[in-house]
Amino acid sequence: MSFENKKLEEFNNYIRYRKVAIIGLGVSNIPLIDYMYEKKAKVTVFDEREIDSIPKEILDKIKKYDFKFYFGKNSLENLNDFDIIFRSPSCLPTRKELVKEEEKGAIVTTEIEMLMKMCPCKIIGVTGSDGKTTTTSLINHILEKSGKTTFLGGNIGTPLFTKLSKMTPEDIVVLELSSFQLMGMEISPDIAVITNISPNHLNIHKDYQEYIDAKKNIFKYQNEKNTLILNYDNEITRKCSNEAKGNVIFFSSKEKLDNGFIVDDKIIKQCKDQIREHILNTDEVKLKGKHNYENIAAALAATYKIVGLDSAIQAIKEFNAVEHRLEFVREINGVKWYNDSASSSPTRTISGLKAFDEKITLIAGGYDKNLDYTPIAKPIIEKVNNLILMGQTSEKIFNAVKQESDNQNKQLHIYTCNNLEETIKTAKKVTKPGEIVLFSPASASFDMFKNAVERGKKYKEFVQKI
């Protein structure tokens, strides 16, 4: 007997002939265009880009379906009297136009929130300032290798709302969740993971507290049957345990916990009632760096009760690094080149630097998210021979590193370049055999590239041409 999702049926009946707004034509909302047309909703599309910037195939579809549309910076001035509004993650629920509509009775939601509300199966959600993509990918890999049917989505993979009809109670949905997706959300996953919390996206959130509160939504609506997995070493995430309603599992690379998972001298251990069992040597896995061993510990905490430790460990041993995250590109004349384009904050780049014992030529810099670059200075002085900078944040990074090098009376070669291709040519000149080149920007990509993926692919293109 096939499974029928009653919640989805009710929703489909509800939206028939209702006024539906789709705000933002990004990856998560594009599948909604076809879906809402099929369900006979009265759709209006909004996007703050000008019409010339909207992909032709999407524009053609909107016109074919005879949907109303408003484009441009002031498009939301036309948001009025809707029944349900699907906002893109970048359109925060605090926008005055959304608040006004919600006060009038509109449902303001996102594709990912509606997926979670109607999902018939277990949901594992992962958030954090660093490490969430690797941890999410690890969890999904472990479950798939153990024979589970999974749906990978959220901030990674494909939008899943239109896949709801294919899901059964036996499946598992695995989601990477950003602060933008979590903000305003009124549902939490069955198993929630917070890898860490540190300042990020402060160019968009009104302050750090708003960012933290958004992250906390991943467990805010859990119950006593649910599980919350937290980084014990991060003060903010550790304190989240005081607000948890369900079972809390900690992981740590600094403390010998009585219960949970720890990374202890290159050994990952499971701790139960003060007994610490050796379960995995870090030299048995393909991932590099202590931060990745922490990600493994978090993934184990999320999956071991579902598939068993033995299955999880075998899957971890086979797991390769996620693209653009300490990804080995190639070796040229004794120099190894790594792509860490996904490192868009100082804390991520610090983790990347700590993953290597060799001397490093670091390529960094990019779009400014109003972050503090002071903490990156000491790790750069300790690990880097040559620092090559580009983009908006180059001056911030330069000033932080220069001050630290003066304080320590240490010399460091610093170069400033105009673009990525120029940085690679410079790196090739100054890096010696036995050293590595690490592209880890510590900054967002939007000053020069559409996103970190495009930036990483371009880096690899240039490196392959050397």
Side-chain angles (χ1 to χ4, degrees):
M1 183 177 174
S2 61
F3 172 73
E4 292 183 10
N5 189 329
K6 297 294 184 185
K7 289 182 180 178
L8 182 59
E9 282 183 27
E10 288 175 10
F11 175 79
N12 290 339
N13 290 331
Y14 168 79
I15 62 170
R16 190 178 176 88
Y17 304 127
R18 298 273 184 177
K19 290 183 69 178
V20 176
I22 298 175
I23 301 176
L25 292 171
V27 173
S28 60
N29 278 350
I30 286 173
L32 291 176
I33 294 173
D34 293 323
Y35 190 89
M36 293 299 163
Y37 176 75
E38 290 169 8
K39 304 305 176 188
K40 294 183 166 54
K42 295 180 178 179
V43 175
T44 304
V45 176
F46 298 82
D47 196 294
E48 293 193 331
R49 291 175 292 176
E50 297 298 331
I51 192 167
D52 294 343
S53 300
I54 306 297
K56 184 179 182 299
E57 63 273 18
I58 298 172
L59 196 59
D60 289 346
K61 187 173 286 188
I62 292 168
K63 291 177 179 177
K64 175 187 171 185
Y65 292 162
D66 200 25
F67 289 167
K68 290 183 181 179
F69 57 86
Y70 297 97
F71 298 135
K73 190 175 180 181
N74 300 316
S75 59
L76 288 188
E77 290 177 358
N78 300 286
L79 190 71
N80 190 36
D81 292 333
F82 284 91
D83 296 302
I84 184 166
I85 299 169
F86 286 87
R87 65 175 183 87
S88 66
S90 60
C91 180
L92 300 187
T94 49
R95 286 282 297 260
K96 63 180 182 180
E97 298 91 345
L98 296 180
V99 172
K100 183 180 176 182
E101 281 291 279
E102 195 166 33
E103 288 172 349
K104 288 161 62 177
I107 298 168
V108 178
T109 188
T110 60
E111 174 263 345
I112 200 74
E113 182 177 28
M114 293 307 288
L115 160 76
M116 291 173 68
K117 286 185 174 179
M118 289 181 270
C119 181
C121 58
K122 187 186 294 292
I123 300 174
I124 301 176
V126 181
T127 196
S129 301
D130 308 316
K132 58 183 179 291
T133 299
T134 298
T135 303
T136 306
S137 301
L138 259 171
I139 289 169
N140 189 68
H141 178 76
I142 290 167
L143 296 172
E144 278 191 332
K145 285 293 182 178
S146 302
K148 302 292 183 184
T149 299
T150 67
F151 292 84
L152 177 66
N155 212 36
I156 188 175
T158 57
L160 296 180
F161 179 83
T162 56
K163 313 279 188 193
L164 271 166
S165 60
K166 299 178 181 178
M167 298 176 187
T168 72
E170 290 74 39
D171 302 331
I172 301 176
V173 168
V174 184
L175 301 174
E176 177 189 321
L177 297 168
S178 70
S179 61
F180 306 137
Q181 289 167 318
L182 286 165
M183 194 172 175
M185 192 177 279
E186 295 180 346
I187 186 169
S188 298
D190 304 279
I191 300 173
V193 182
I194 308 181
T195 57
N196 49 55
I197 296 178
S198 61
N200 208 345
H201 302 299
L202 300 187
N203 59 321
I204 298 175
H205 287 288
K206 71 176 183 181
D207 54 30
Y208 189 27
Q209 191 58 51
E210 181 181 270
Y211 174 72
I212 293 169
D213 290 342
K215 292 290 192 187
K216 286 183 177 181
N217 279 347
I218 200 168
F219 69 88
K220 185 176 179 179
Y221 300 96
Q222 284 190 321
N223 59 43
E224 65 279 355
K225 295 179 182 178
N226 298 148
T227 300
L228 175 60
I229 295 156
L230 297 170
N231 183 344
Y232 190 87
D233 304 335
N234 181 276
E235 183 180 4
I236 296 171
T237 56
R238 183 171 66 248
K239 287 181 178 178
C240 286
S241 63
N242 299 326
E243 303 171 46
K245 299 182 181 76
N247 177 45
V248 174
I249 302 175
F250 284 115
F251 65 93
S252 173
S253 63
K254 295 179 179 177
E255 300 290 332
K256 290 180 168 59
L257 303 175
D258 292 337
N259 294 284
F261 289 83
I262 64 171
V263 183
D264 180 18
D265 193 25
K266 297 188 177 181
I267 300 171
I268 297 172
K269 300 177 180 179
Q270 183 181 24
C271 310
K272 287 183 181 177
D273 301 321
Q274 299 183 354
I275 297 172
R276 301 181 184 97
E277 181 185 357
H278 173 161
I279 58 174
L280 182 65
N281 286 330
T282 58
D283 59 11
E284 296 178 86
V285 303
K286 298 175 183 178
L287 296 177
K288 291 177 69 71
K290 187 173 73 170
H291 65 296
N292 274 325
Y293 307 147
E294 292 171 355
N295 295 336
I296 290 170
L300 282 168
T303 57
Y304 81 101
K305 288 184 179 178
I306 301 172
V307 303
L309 270 180
D310 290 342
S311 293
I313 290 166
Q314 185 56 44
I316 288 166
K317 289 179 181 179
E318 299 169 4
F319 184 80
N320 291 306
V322 178
E323 190 178 16
H324 312 301
R325 287 160 178 82
L326 289 185
E327 175 193 11
F328 176 67
V329 180
R330 64 182 294 206
E331 184 172 343
I332 310 164
N333 299 327
V335 175
K336 293 179 179 178
W337 295 70
Y338 285 86
N339 166 32
D340 195 33
S341 177
S343 287
S344 58
S345 68
T347 52
R348 294 187 190 189
T349 295
I350 290 168
S351 295
L353 290 172
K354 290 179 178 178
F356 297 98
D357 294 325
E358 301 96 329
K359 277 296 181 181
I360 297 168
T361 292
L362 174 65
I363 301 173
Y367 180 76
D368 193 350
K369 295 191 287 183
N370 296 337
L371 303 181
D372 178 17
Y373 284 87
T374 308
I376 204 172
K378 280 187 179 179
I380 286 177
I381 296 298
E382 289 170 8
K383 305 284 290 189
V384 173
N385 264 2
N386 305 291
L387 175 61
I388 306 173
L389 298 171
M390 67 174 186
Q392 291 178 4
T393 59
S394 57
E395 187 175 354
K396 274 188 173 182
I397 300 171
F398 177 90
N399 290 339
V401 172
K402 184 70 168 62
Q403 184 175 339
E404 184 61 33
S405 65
D406 289 345
N407 289 343
Q408 294 191 30
N409 197 25
K410 287 187 176 180
Q411 293 301 311
L412 173 70
H413 301 293
I414 304 178
Y415 307 86
T416 302
C417 297
N418 294 316
N419 53 55
L420 183 57
E421 187 173 15
E422 191 180 324
T423 68
I424 290 167
K425 289 177 180 176
T426 304
K428 182 176 180 290
K429 284 181 188 175
V430 302
T431 310
K432 298 174 183 176
E435 298 178 349
I436 69 163
V437 177
L438 175 63
F439 177 48
S440 188
S443 314
S445 58
F446 314 126
D447 57 338
M448 296 181 179
F449 304 94
K450 184 170 68 175
N451 52 40
V453 171
E454 182 186 76
R455 177 171 66 182
K457 287 184 183 298
K458 187 60 67 175
Y459 170 80
K460 291 193 289 182
E461 262 180 49
F462 288 141
V463 172
Q464 292 296 352
K465 289 177 181 176
I466 294 174

PDB file of all heavy atoms in Angstrom, residues 228 243 277 413:
ATOM      1  N   LEU A 228      19.581  16.954  20.405  1.00  0.00           N
ATOM      2  CA  LEU A 228      20.379  18.129  20.060  1.00  0.00           C
ATOM      3  C   LEU A 228      21.854  17.807  20.248  1.00  0.00           C
ATOM      4  O   LEU A 228      22.265  17.384  21.333  1.00  0.00           O
ATOM      5  CB  LEU A 228      19.981  19.321  20.937  1.00  0.00           C
ATOM      6  CG  LEU A 228      20.804  20.606  20.783  1.00  0.00           C
ATOM      7  CD1 LEU A 228      20.725  21.135  19.356  1.00  0.00           C
ATOM      8  CD2 LEU A 228      20.325  21.665  21.769  1.00  0.00           C
ATOM      9  N   GLU A 243      18.875  25.358  27.272  1.00  0.00           N
ATOM     10  CA  GLU A 243      17.562  25.657  26.691  1.00  0.00           C
ATOM     11  C   GLU A 243      16.965  24.447  25.984  1.00  0.00           C
ATOM     12  O   GLU A 243      15.843  24.522  25.478  1.00  0.00           O
ATOM     13  CB  GLU A 243      17.689  26.815  25.700  1.00  0.00           C
ATOM     14  CG  GLU A 243      18.273  28.087  26.304  1.00  0.00           C
ATOM     15  CD  GLU A 243      18.581  29.129  25.236  1.00  0.00           C
ATOM     16  OE1 GLU A 243      17.717  29.356  24.361  1.00  0.00           O
ATOM     17  OE2 GLU A 243      19.683  29.715  25.269  1.00  0.00           O
ATOM     18  N   GLU A 277      35.774   4.863  24.741  1.00  0.00           N
ATOM     19  CA  GLU A 277      36.094   3.757  23.833  1.00  0.00           C
ATOM     20  C   GLU A 277      36.702   4.284  22.542  1.00  0.00           C
ATOM     21  O   GLU A 277      36.127   5.127  21.864  1.00  0.00           O
ATOM     22  CB  GLU A 277      34.821   2.963  23.522  1.00  0.00           C
ATOM     23  CG  GLU A 277      35.050   1.785  22.598  1.00  0.00           C
ATOM     24  CD  GLU A 277      33.757   1.095  22.200  1.00  0.00           C
ATOM     25  OE1 GLU A 277      32.680   1.497  22.687  1.00  0.00           O
ATOM     26  OE2 GLU A 277      33.833   0.158  21.381  1.00  0.00           O
ATOM     27  N   HIS A 413      56.232  37.769   3.908  1.00  0.00           N
ATOM     28  CA  HIS A 413      56.099  38.322   2.556  1.00  0.00           C
ATOM     29  C   HIS A 413      54.611  38.516   2.249  1.00  0.00           C
ATOM     30  O   HIS A 413      53.841  37.555   2.237  1.00  0.00           O
ATOM     31  CB  HIS A 413      56.724  37.376   1.534  1.00  0.00           C
ATOM     32  CG  HIS A 413      58.179  37.108   1.780  1.00  0.00           C
ATOM     33  ND1 HIS A 413      59.143  38.081   1.654  1.00  0.00           N
ATOM     34  CD2 HIS A 413      58.829  35.975   2.160  1.00  0.00           C
ATOM     35  CE1 HIS A 413      60.324  37.567   1.931  1.00  0.00           C
ATOM     36  NE2 HIS A 413      60.162  36.293   2.254  1.00  0.00           N
TER      37      HIS A 413
END
